Amino acid sequence: MWLKPEEILLKNAFKLWVTEKDNEYFVLQRRRGYGEGGGGLTGLLVGTLDTVLDSTSKVAPYRILHHTPDSQVYWSIACGVTKEEIDQHWDWLQQNIMRTLSVFDSTEDITSFVQGKIRGLIAEEGKTSLVLEDDPEKFREALLRFEKWFELPAQEKLVTYYSCSYWKGKVPCQGWLYLSTNFLCFYSYLLGSEVKLIISWDEIWRLEKTSNVILTESIHVLAHGEDHYFSMLLHLSETFVIMEQLANYSIKRLFDKEAFQGEPALSDPLQITKRGLEAHAKSEQFRAFFRLPKEENLLEVHESFLWVPFSHFNTLGKICLSENYLCFASQDGSQCHIIIPMREVINVEKPDSSSRALTVCVRGKRALRFSEVRDYQRLANTIRSRCGISASPQHSASSEAIRGECQSLINHFEDNPEDVTLMVGQKDTSKAVSTEALMTVFHPQDVENLDPKMLKEKMKEQSWNIHFSEYGRGTSMFFTKKTRDLIVRGVPESLRGELWMLFSGAVNDMATHPGCYTELVEQSLGTSTLATDEIERDLHRSLPEHPAFQSDTGISALRRVLTAYAYRNPKIGYCQAMNILTSVLLLYAKEEEAFWLLVAVCERMLPDYFNRRIIGALVDQAVFEDLIRENLPQLVDHMTDLSFFSSVSLSWFLTLFISVLPIESAVNVVDCFFYDGIKAILQLGLAVLDYNMEALIACNDDAEAVTILNRFFDSVTNKDSPLPPTVQQASVGNNDKASHVSVDISELIREAYEKYGHFRSEEVESSRKRNKLHVIQTLEDTTKQNVIRVVSQDVRFTSSQLDELYNLFKRQHFLSCYWTMKSPALLHHDPSLAYLEQYQLGFQQFSELFSLLEPWAFCASKSTLSLWVFRLIDENQDGLVNFKEFCYALDTLYGVSFTNKLKFLFKLHLPPAFTGSPLHLKEQRVQQFLPTIEDSSHLTRLAAFDLPEDGVIRKSPERGRGKVDLQAYLKQWQNEILKKEETIKDLPRINQAQFIQFSKTLYNIFHGDPEEESLYRAVAHVTSLLLRMEEVGRRLQEPSSPPAEATQPASTAASVEASSTQEASGNPKTSDASGSHSSQEGATEQQDPDWSFSFEQVLASLLNEPAIVGFFERHVHIQTKLGQARVAQLKLKANK
């Protein structure tokens, strides 16, 4: 590897380097302790020094230096891991540089020329792979070490590296931590003790920052049940963020494809960089804080002051700019923040250059003044370009002119309200779509009603109107502590829909997708899928006692919203609990608004909640358990198993307490949720447990605890609700409130904010990421245990052996996914499928794993044998093998039954496994994934079908995709139950071509065995015996046969033996022999079309050969093979 020329002092390096070659201008040196004469004390000391110190010496044991005769200065210009590599560099210098140097007069010119040439070579090499790295030179050195030490496939992308200590027991090992796309690696070499660690990101159960007495601060990694600690990191927080991003990336890509498909920035595993991961992490935080669409990315950040009119002072904070939004948050984030869609900006001014300020004018007579912006000129131009505002002298107009322009625009819209719709970008909605919230239709407010509750409602409205006048209204409103205080007190019924849209960010989704909902309704109308069937079933279960859903108006609106969403997002489709949530949204929001609110909840605010595995809900329950441990220690001391709270709180998270609280109280919880996100649900859950602490501690069992919580929820009221009694009782499950004192929902929410509002949303997001790894791995472990339980009934392997086999099988699946953007194996993985079908191998993957585990390691023609085994065990002929089928094959081959092994080999030479004649054997060798057309009719059959849009071959209908054919399932299940045990009499006879190949396979299996010669003789004897038996049989049936036929079986036997021996021994004349033999065989088949043997005949003949019987009954330890496969699996992929 060429190095950026660096000056070194040679006299200090005499004891560490040995000169191997030199000339007038260059020196080639070897590191002491490497190569010939290495080892000993010198080798130990030098090796330790190389690992610990960060210098060129630790990169490679060879280097080339440049110098001039009259100078004592030396320059390092190249290094190499092997002698061959450094010799190539040396030869290149001799051929391309040495001849040129003679033309220079001065040594300075020579040195400048050499340095320029080397830098040019480095620049040429780094054009593609290293352009995004901060320090390409150091990164190239680290990459060389990474490749040398870990021997991973060449495609593996190193992201970054750090110097750190790894704690092996109680002893720290100083070394280097390497973070690549798919692996976490560590290397240390201290005084002869080498520590090498390779952990794939998809194997990690827990990743967190920890601290204890010994380690002040460290990173804890849990994988394979082992704890790993890394400390002494110079930039620990930066390192942890990169590790968290890589682990999360791996989880999304390999286990959670639905979430991953929305991450275009990380779609290619070969293009991931440290800078890209850091930018992605910042964009995630940016979107989560400001509730922006997932398409937005953080582009620029500027520190500035913002004039806050309601407080009459400048507040320090940061301007965050994305593709379509200008956002500002005060320094702590809690004082105030504001979101300005670029579509709302009408002007950008720079009124005061001395204070580096700019003013952004938005619709609604609003102007925001930012000051002390370091690069205010560029920021103003960026905002203008994104808003489509052309820079002109008008931008220096006075503020009064701007206000006049804004006022004229406002007056125009007041006189022409239809233009507002055009400005926002919304099309006229279809007549079929409801344009009113159901609550205004079924419970219109009585203006003349002056009862106390309505008066309280009017006071709330007045408070919000005052707030709007001070802080603004609509998309560019200031969010402050006062906003949260108003939310906690309760949102008035008339403003609920508007504020939900604003706080959730759904207002921006709707504005940027005009007419989208109407189109979805029209497109999904009349469709019939599994999702629509489930929707129809649940329509009348959604708030059934509410008048709105006792009429066709409410039911039809609910049907349209749910069906449109299932059509828009088939990955989620429809899940239970979505109907309850959507019902409440429809009560307070217009139909289209309810749709976009549902989008915001399902895809941003509650990610991964509404799918088959409800991963998001399980993650938040794990976060909830952590918070219980931190905040309710008394409850933890009494109830050691907190899983009870996970089971009882599932409905709290899935329905936002709507399913457990009365409807008039539940909407107050939804208010807080749309403002504070999942944090509001978590802190309310803590408040509920805290309120019932004494009763829960006194419980004797879980059932009693559930009863206490149910009674508590039934007793929760909303004394300020203006809803009539019929509506208030709509969602109450139990009206028996006598045993419980009523609790006002506003008081409960206020208590939740006061006691548990201290933790920040950022902490919740961090806890979510930490717990997601554990939840995903727990689900994967459950899948593994279920698969092992099913498979163990049919094979003789122990549970521990099946566990290791499953890990190898799953890893083989992932190895084909690591370095490919659209791996077929990755597309085949579908968590919604049955346990056995979640991980499957195509032929190429199967062949690699089978070659590591087959009992006959010395077997030749492995690819051909693997192909036949693959075809045989692929029962449904879909080109994929599941774990059960794989274990069946290994169980047979590792068993002790000679008959079963022979039957398996016999079936390998019958269709569908073996489909050709010996002439076509060379064509049967598989390239990449599919065999040749002649040999893979069942695999190429897949091409006859139209694949779904995502290219996944499905064995069961996915949610929202299509209807389930229950009859087909029942028929398949019945056939499996009635399937009888196969006997040897059920096997078809083997014809001449198949028998010849069967004999060759036996020769290949025996090749290399210590008893090879005796086994060959036994096979030859059996072949001759069977052919003579066939000859006798045919003579008895045809006594008038011509005598010429008598010599044919003997010649066939000789031909079989000759060709088989040649193939097994690797004779180069095999092809000629097989070609001549094929012509003989063609003639033979023409003369004797019915020539064949039964399995009983083959079995009886082979039983007479003790050598063959002993070979197949010889016990092979699979445990040894499993250990070897674990080590060789990754290396095999690297070698390929």
Side-chain angles (χ1 to χ4, degrees), residues 592-660:
E592 184 175 8
E593 293 175 342
F595 171 80
W596 289 111
L597 282 169
L598 183 64
V599 170
V601 171
C602 293
E603 298 176 12
R604 283 202 306 274
M605 302 186 73
L606 297 178
D608 294 332
Y609 260 62
F610 301 99
N611 53 36
R612 194 179 77 90
R613 301 199 292 176
I614 57 170
I615 291 173
L618 295 175
V619 169
D620 284 343
Q621 284 181 304
V623 175
F624 188 49
E625 284 186 22
D626 290 345
L627 291 172
I628 292 173
R629 290 187 186 94
E630 293 174 14
N631 297 280
L632 302 173
Q634 290 177 298
L635 200 58
V636 175
D637 293 340
H638 179 72
M639 303 184 72
T640 53
D641 184 11
L642 296 183
S643 60
F644 161 74
F645 296 112
S646 295
S647 58
V648 79
S649 65
L650 182 60
S651 61
W652 305 357
F653 291 97
L654 284 173
T655 66
L656 309 178
F657 283 93
I658 295 170
S659 63
V660 293

Side-chain angles (χ1 to χ4, degrees), residues 456-482:
K456 191 79 176 280
E457 190 75 4
K458 293 295 180 185
M459 289 173 63
K460 285 183 182 178
E461 289 182 16
Q462 187 62 27
S463 298
W464 275 97
N465 287 329
I466 294 171
H467 184 79
F468 291 147
S469 65
E470 292 183 7
Y471 298 88
R473 185 170 187 171
T475 51
S476 55
M477 183 179 84
F478 281 95
F479 294 82
T480 66
K481 290 180 179 178
K482 190 175 179 182

Side-chain angles (χ1 to χ4, degrees), residues 133-169:
E133 305 304 335
D134 295 330
D135 190 342
E137 182 58 34
K138 280 193 174 181
F139 194 83
R140 291 170 82 250
E141 295 180 11
L143 183 59
L144 194 64
R145 294 197 303 272
F146 176 71
E147 292 172 349
K148 168 193 170 185
W149 286 337
F150 302 108
E151 300 177 328
L152 294 171
Q155 308 100 305
E156 184 63 12
K157 175 78 167 62
L158 177 63
V159 176
T160 187
Y161 63 102
Y162 300 94
S163 173
C164 72
S165 290
Y166 168 64
W167 290 79
K168 193 175 182 182

Side-chain angles (χ1 to χ4, degrees), residues 1020-1119:
H1021 183 260
V1022 168
T1023 305
S1024 301
L1025 180 63
L1026 284 169
L1027 290 170
R1028 290 194 186 96
M1029 288 169 57
E1030 177 65 19
E1031 177 190 351
V1032 171
R1034 295 182 71 81
R1035 283 183 178 179
L1036 291 173
Q1037 292 176 7
E1038 301 176 12
S1040 59
S1041 302
E1045 283 188 12
T1047 60
Q1048 188 271 329
S1051 64
T1052 303
S1055 173
V1056 170
E1057 183 177 354
S1059 62
S1060 301
T1061 306
Q1062 285 177 347
E1063 182 175 314
S1065 59
N1067 194 318
K1069 297 181 179 179
T1070 302
S1071 57
D1072 297 335
S1074 62
S1076 60
H1077 168 67
S1078 299
S1079 61
Q1080 293 177 13
E1081 179 197 321
T1084 304
E1085 286 183 346
Q1086 206 168 8
Q1087 296 170 10
D1088 304 298
D1090 299 325
W1091 190 88
S1092 63
F1093 296 117
S1094 68
F1095 177 72
E1096 293 97 318
Q1097 290 176 302
V1098 175
L1099 175 63
S1101 302
L1102 289 174
L1103 282 172
N1104 289 322
E1105 298 295 334
I1108 295 179
V1109 175
F1111 175 86
F1112 282 110
E1113 290 186 346
R1114 186 189 305 161
H1115 183 66
V1116 181
H1117 294 281
I1118 191 172
Q1119 199 63 46

Side-chain angles (χ1 to χ4, degrees), residues 354-494:
S354 61
S355 61
R356 296 180 297 180
L358 69 151
T359 302
V360 178
C361 302
V362 297
R363 294 193 181 94
K365 300 171 66 174
R366 301 284 306 284
L368 302 170
R369 186 176 186 276
F370 299 98
S371 59
E372 298 301 327
V373 184
R374 180 175 296 177
D375 201 354
Y376 72 100
Q377 182 79 43
R378 187 170 67 84
L379 177 60
N381 293 335
T382 303
I383 297 173
R384 284 199 195 102
S385 64
R386 294 198 173 277
C387 299
I389 303 171
S390 58
S392 67
Q394 293 178 355
H395 290 138
S396 60
S398 65
S399 58
E400 290 184 7
I402 295 170
R403 291 195 193 98
E405 184 183 346
C406 294
Q407 186 60 49
S408 64
L409 196 60
I410 297 293
N411 294 337
H412 171 75
F413 284 136
E414 287 177 352
D415 297 335
N416 303 278
E418 67 277 2
D419 287 359
V420 177
T421 306
L422 297 173
M423 188 59 126
V424 175
Q426 298 175 3
K427 298 179 182 177
D428 183 27
T429 55
S430 171
K431 293 180 180 179
V433 175
S434 173
T435 56
E436 293 292 335
L438 294 180
M439 194 61 81
T440 61
V441 176
F442 289 90
H443 179 55
Q445 291 189 6
D446 187 356
V447 180
E448 298 179 359
N449 185 359
L450 298 178
D451 64 24
K453 289 187 176 181
M454 286 305 299
L455 286 173
K456 191 79 176 280
E457 190 75 4
K458 293 295 180 185
M459 289 173 63
K460 285 183 182 178
E461 289 182 16
Q462 187 62 27
S463 298
W464 275 97
N465 287 329
I466 294 171
H467 184 79
F468 291 147
S469 65
E470 292 183 7
Y471 298 88
R473 185 170 187 171
T475 51
S476 55
M477 183 179 84
F478 281 95
F479 294 82
T480 66
K481 290 180 179 178
K482 190 175 179 182
T483 313
R484 180 181 279 113
D485 292 339
L486 287 173
I487 290 286
V488 172
R489 281 185 233 162
V491 175
E493 300 279 317
S494 58

